[in-house]
Amino acid sequence: MSWSLRQGGKEAGASRILFTIKRDVGRVVITFIFLNFPSYKYKDSLMNILVVGSGGREHAIALAVKKSPLCDTLVCAPGNPGMANLGKCVPVDVADPKAIADLAVTEGIDLAVIGPEIPLVAGVVDEFRRRGLRAFGPTAAAAALEGSKAFSKEIMKKYGVPTAAFETFTDLASAKKFLACHPAPIVVKASGLAAGKGAIVCMTDKEANDAVEEMLGDKAVFGESGKTVVIEEFMDGEEASIFVVCDGKDYVILSSAQDHKRVFDDDKGPNTGGMGAYSPAPVVTDALLDEVKKTIIEPTLKGMAAEGKPYTGVLYVGIMVTAKGPKVVEYNCRLGDPECQIVLPLYDGDVLALFDAAEKGELAKLNAPKATKGSSAIVVLASAGYPGSYEKGKVVTGIEEAEKNGAQVLHAGTKMVDGKLVTNGGRVFGVVGHGETLKAALDIAYEAAEKVQFEGKFYRKDIGKKGLARLAKMGK
Ligand code: AMP
Ligand code: GLY
């Protein structure tokens, strides 16, 4: 008995030890699996990202993507010296969809984010899809909302989106006949891509006649893009842009912004690619945004889907806030430059997760944040002479000093020569400030703008002035 008890005790003791060991090992294994499961899952969702483009907009996209926990490696093509601090830069012809897709294969890219309109209109997203690759942006058919003003105006007309009344022309005589009974002010637009120079706001009949000559006449200077001309009613009001991330059916609104296209203070001088911007634009109140959603964004997206051209990517909605409500000035098929640089940092979520979900058609599942945080402003530092001819190769200093106050200096037209950073474009940098208020954001951007140095640097001193005045009027 005692033996058997002893035996029993021994056996019981041994099996207890065995049980304890098994239990502990089991616990360790379960704990190990438990602790590591999220990271396996997490590693699974890591992505190699390609950012296509080389301007300030793409520098801002690269910064936002790099910040995401979903980003594994970042490749920029062709990139710029600022982007080179964030990832590998590889040369590519951005106008060549095949070359971009080849690069994505070579670099093992999971998702490409396309910055400029040229590759989008040329069909880079279609090329990626044909090869089973993923690129965030609209197909060529959808990018025609920017690539063909004649197409975008027809879509607006068909789906009842408010915009300026218009007619489309392909021959000079009919365009002139139309102008004869539609006096200035009037707007003449080259239908195709024209690097932001295709819209001519004509304040006199002579200007309007000259504009159609330049597009449809014997000595046309607009090439292919001017072979179809849209002539439209002049709209009076304040302009703003709204950026919408779309997945073909659902959408997420990023912040609104106001650009400053003229080169000099008080909107004087020739048009540029943009001398500065701020976001959000106080003119876009919550009530106005609701109206824009109902009368512009939703009918446009529904219309594009009904046309068999569902819109995926960023839809840039340029509006004029007229006495009769918001009307579309233009659509672009991408983020604006310089607006992207201020709109992305205000998104209070993961920008890469947003682009990824939109590309997959899964925005409804994303639970994107509804509100933006604070204000942002960007001041563009340009080379003397811009937007006309300007010198390049001026040595740049002071970036580190400028960024000490929390500003970000984004590269738009720079290059490295013999280890030195030099100017290489008309718009050289965009200096971005963030703050609780527009005033705070502007103060940070302007303080930093002074510190970046290169020969011939100039910038507008009145970025955000209109926004501050409107805020004061609104008592904010
Ligand atoms: P777009 O290339 O169509 O965006 O036009 C460039 C700029 O021309 C706009 O940002 C506006 O300032 C101006 N613009 C274009 N269309 C009109 C219009 N119908 N009425 C007044 N201004 C316009
Ligand atoms: N900032 C105007 C544009 O990107 O077209």
Side-chain angles (χ1 to χ4, degrees):
M1 181 78 179
S2 64
W3 186 84
S4 84
L5 261 180
R6 254 198 351 261
Q7 277 294 63
K10 239 168 127 185
E11 270 177 18
S15 53
R16 239 194 329 270
I17 291 167
L18 214 61
F19 172 74
T20 311
I21 291 171
K22 266 190 191 160
R23 189 195 57 198
D24 289 350
V25 167
R27 268 192 194 148
V28 169
V29 169
I30 287 167
T31 312
F32 179 80
I33 292 172
F34 177 76
L35 285 177
N36 284 280
F37 180 66
S39 72
Y40 278 127
K41 212 174 139 207
Y42 170 71
K43 275 185 191 132
D44 252 7
S45 51
L46 279 182
M47 291 180 280
N48 294 335
I49 305 298
L50 172 66
V51 175
V52 175
S54 62
R57 168 180 49 212
E58 289 76 24
H59 191 176
I61 293 173
L63 273 170
V65 160
K66 185 78 185 180
K67 229 170 62 182
S68 165
L70 298 173
C71 179
D72 194 351
T73 58
L74 172 66
V75 178
C76 307
N80 65 35
M83 294 162 86
N85 296 326
L86 303 168
K88 175 164 108 176
C89 291
V90 184
V92 79
D93 175 2
V94 294
D96 183 349
K98 285 199 167 60
I100 300 171
D102 286 347
L103 179 67
V105 172
T106 314
E107 297 290 338
I109 295 300
D110 297 300
L111 180 70
V113 182
I114 314 294
E117 63 277 18
I118 289 178
L120 293 167
V121 172
V124 70
V125 171
D126 310 70
E127 181 65 24
F128 270 61
R129 290 189 187 170
R130 259 196 296 277
R131 298 199 202 179
L133 301 168
R134 300 176 59 222
F136 172 66
T139 58
L145 279 186
E146 173 166 4
S148 163
K149 288 193 192 291
F151 170 77
S152 73
K153 295 294 286 192
E154 286 306 328
I155 289 286
M156 287 185 252
K157 190 161 140 188
K158 186 165 173 187
Y159 295 97
V161 175
T163 188
F166 73 101
E167 288 290 334
T168 302
F169 300 91
T170 50
D171 79 282
L172 185 61
S174 322
K176 287 204 159 183
K177 205 167 141 198
F178 179 84
L179 286 178
C181 32
H182 292 85
I186 199 156
V187 184
V188 176
K189 295 183 176 182
S191 177
L193 289 184
K197 298 186 179 83
I200 306 180
V201 180
C202 309
M203 300 316 282
T204 65
D205 293 345
K206 179 172 183 320
E207 277 170 12
N209 273 285
D210 289 352
V212 290
E213 287 275 0
E214 282 182 2
M215 293 176 195
L216 297 168
D218 291 341
K219 295 187 192 109
V221 292
F222 277 85
E224 265 319 296
S225 75
K227 290 206 165 139
T228 299
V229 170
V230 172
I231 302 183
E232 67 178 38
E233 169 202 8
F234 173 83
M235 297 185 286
D236 207 5
E238 194 169 331
E239 272 184 89
S241 349
I242 293 158
F243 299 88
V244 192
V245 175
C246 311
D247 73 355
K249 18 178 222 307
D250 294 304
Y251 65 92
V252 170
I253 298 194
L254 299 174
S255 191
S256 58
Q258 239 169 358
D259 195 3
H260 296 63
K261 285 186 201 276
R262 302 296 188 113
V263 70
F264 300 127
D265 284 12
D266 298 320
D267 294 329
K268 301 236 166 70
N271 264 328
T272 68
M275 292 300 289
Y278 58 95
S279 176
V283 66
V284 183
T285 58
D286 289 347
L288 187 88
L289 192 58
D290 270 345
E291 197 176 344
V292 169
K293 279 187 205 166
K294 287 195 192 92
T295 63
I296 297 174
I297 298 170
E298 286 164 16
T300 302
L301 296 184
K302 280 197 184 120
M304 290 299 281
E307 296 289 310
K309 298 169 181 175
Y311 197 94
T312 313
V314 177
L315 181 65
Y316 167 140
V317 185
I319 59 165
M320 187 76 81
V321 184
T322 72
K324 289 188 185 148
K327 292 187 180 186
V328 175
V329 177
E330 64 167 343
Y331 293 119
N332 290 321
C333 63
R334 40 136 185 120
L335 281 156
D337 188 341
E339 297 97 318
C340 167
Q341 293 87 310
I342 47 169
V343 162
L344 286 189
L346 293 186
Y347 179 70
D348 198 9
D350 181 337
V351 167
L352 180 53
L354 175 68
F355 292 170
D356 182 49
E359 195 280 338
K360 287 181 184 146
E362 293 181 353
L363 280 182
K365 287 195 208 160
L366 184 70
N367 201 13
K370 297 275 176 290
T372 54
K373 41 166 197 203
S375 271
S376 286
I378 180 164
V379 176
V380 169
L381 309 184
S383 304
Y386 175 77
S389 61
Y390 51 84
E391 288 181 18
K392 295 181 182 176
K394 308 293 180 191
V395 174
V396 178
T397 57
I399 294 186
E400 235 175 79
E401 188 58 27
E403 289 188 329
K404 277 189 184 149
N405 72 350
Q408 255 166 353
V409 179
L410 300 177
H411 293 236
T414 63
K415 73 172 177 181
M416 296 298 291
V417 174
D418 301 329
K420 281 199 177 120
L421 185 69
V422 300
T423 66
N424 193 42
R427 290 191 297 172
V428 183
F429 295 104
V431 183
V432 178
H434 309 292
E436 284 290 305
T437 61
L438 175 57
K439 167 89 174 57
L442 285 164
D443 285 348
I444 292 171
Y446 271 117
E447 191 189 322
E450 264 175 51
K451 297 200 172 125
V452 179
Q453 300 295 339
F454 57 88
E455 192 189 316
K457 172 187 87 168
F458 80 95
Y459 53 95
R460 273 182 68 158
K461 307 289 190 308
D462 66 340
I463 304 300
K465 201 167 134 186
K466 238 192 251 172
L468 290 174
R470 186 170 282 276
L471 285 171
K473 227 162 95 185
M474 293 159 85
K476 290 193 182 170

